[in-house]
Amino acid sequence: MHAMQYEITLPADYDMDVIRDRVARRGHLLDGFDGLGLKAYLIRERGRDGSPVNQYAPFYLWRTVEGMNSFLWGGGFQGLSDDFGRPPARQWSGLAYEEGRFAAAPARVAVRRRERVPDGTPAAEAAADAVARAGRLAARDGAVLAAAAVDTGRWETVLFSLWAGEAPAAAEGDVFRVLRLSAPERDRLPRGRQW
């Protein structure tokens, strides 16, 4: 599994209904995309859920590298780049994926927490901690799913979780609203620790 996210930060007075309309019109295009575990179409709105910005920031869990590369080098990412400029696409290697007790419920909220692995902390210890935290998140009431991944270029872990309602306080991080979920191969994402 591989995680990926790009963030398109928009002006403070940007009409976020433009993004909602875009997702409503185009979101279905990835519903059958080979290699895609899931794509959460996410937004943050300035002044809501503690967000300082308006942002469109889809988050992906790829089942295969080939699927991710097909998206990046094919028409999917190019269409977004044509409309908004090409954003940096952050990538993380998967550490864990867990379905939550509310896995069948529609996802309403996403929480993303990125943390640097402190110098001196053994990499295996940081990875095991991220896996355990993802498991604890997935076990909470309202959890749709939780994933953990690591960027070894920056030595940064990311915890990503989807929630059927408002996220609990234990799910610390940036809060996003979920506009849509495309999940063609979610049922094929490997569960649990991924090494």
Side-chain angles (χ1 to χ4, degrees), residues 10 17 26 86 89 123:
L10 301 158
D17 285 338
R26 297 184 182 185
R86 185 175 55 224

Side-chain angles (χ1 to χ4, degrees), residues 37-132:
L38 67 89
K39 175 182 181 178
Y41 295 80
L42 307 178
I43 61 169
R44 293 199 298 168
E45 293 183 82
R46 187 171 183 249
R48 184 173 181 185
D49 300 316
S51 177
V53 297
N54 285 330
Q55 198 171 65
Y56 176 50
F59 195 95
Y60 301 76
L61 293 176
W62 292 99
R63 191 181 65 78
T64 68
V65 173
E66 294 84 2
M68 181 175 66
N69 287 342
S70 292
F71 174 78
L72 288 170
W73 316 139
F77 191 65
Q78 188 59 51
L80 176 106
S81 298
D82 290 345
D83 292 345
F84 295 102
R86 185 175 55 224
R90 297 285 311 275
Q91 297 179 31
W92 298 269
S93 297
L95 294 173
Y97 174 76
E98 298 291 348
E99 290 278 311
R101 295 189 321 196
F102 286 70
R108 304 282 185 226
V109 172
V111 179
R112 179 204 63 205
R113 182 178 178 95
R114 296 183 301 206
E115 291 184 325
R116 301 263 314 146
V117 175
D119 291 339
T121 300
E125 183 180 305
D129 179 61
V131 169

Side-chain angles (χ1 to χ4, degrees), residues 2-44:
H2 300 275
M4 184 180 84
Q5 185 177 38
Y6 46 85
E7 299 170 328
I8 299 168
T9 301
L10 301 158
D13 61 350
Y14 191 83
D15 181 359
M16 294 301 285
D17 285 338
V18 172
I19 301 299
R20 288 183 183 88
D21 180 62
R22 177 189 181 88
V23 170
R25 284 184 294 105
R26 297 184 182 185
H28 71 281
L29 297 175
L30 292 185
D31 285 352
F33 201 89
D34 287 340
L36 176 61
L38 67 89
K39 175 182 181 178
Y41 295 80
L42 307 178
I43 61 169
R44 293 199 298 168

